[in-house]
């Protein structure tokens, strides 16, 4: 028994494409994993977009957002993961 060994945690449970994006971005999960909430934040902490996904594949319309860097936060099973998203 090795107490120092940690179980590996799967970090890439979703993909975001295209990134950078101009008009629309797709967030795709494994088919049996639908997140509770997808939130987009700007770097000032404002929340220009939030969606409760209905499927493992969700498309966000970002065409009305200003160019720049955004934080895409995914909440699922009590955990949250964040990815950077660049809007062109």
């Amino acid at each position: 028994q090795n107490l120092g060994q940690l179980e590996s945690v799967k970090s890439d449970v979703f993909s975001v494409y295209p990134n950078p994006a101009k008009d629309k971005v797709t967030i795709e999960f494994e088919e049996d994993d639908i997140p509770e909430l997808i939130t987009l934040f700007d770097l000032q902490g404002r929340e220009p977009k939030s969606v409760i996904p209905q499927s493992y594949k969700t498309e966000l319309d970002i065409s009305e957002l200003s160019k720049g860097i955004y934080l895409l936060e995914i909440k699922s099973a009590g955990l949250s993961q964040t990815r950077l998203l660049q809007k062109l």
Side-chain angles (χ1 to χ4, degrees):
Q1 186 176 12
N2 184 354
L3 296 177
Q5 185 177 2
L6 296 175
E7 286 185 44
S8 63
V9 176
K10 190 173 180 186
S11 61
D12 286 335
V13 293
F14 66 95
S15 54
V16 178
Y17 58 89
N19 190 6
K22 199 170 199 169
D23 298 319
K24 294 186 186 306
V25 65
T26 300
I27 301 106
E28 187 171 349
F29 294 80
E30 296 176 353
E31 288 193 37
D32 58 347
D33 185 22
I34 300 174
E36 298 153 18
L37 184 64
I38 298 173
T39 309
L40 199 62
F41 294 98
D42 65 16
L43 295 181
Q44 287 74 42
R46 293 183 295 249
E47 184 183 314
K49 192 166 280 290
S50 182
V51 64
I52 297 172
Q54 303 300 311
S55 166
Y56 72 94
K57 193 173 186 179
T58 301
E59 189 175 85
L60 284 181
D61 180 356
I62 60 168
S63 59
E64 78 282 1
L65 298 179
S66 302
K67 293 179 182 180
I69 302 293
Y70 292 85
L71 298 173
L72 187 66
E73 182 183 65
I74 311 294
K75 290 188 179 173
S76 181
L79 302 172
S80 73
Q81 292 188 30
T82 305
R83 297 264 176 94
L84 290 177
L85 172 66
Q86 183 179 5
K87 163 71 164 82
L88 297 177

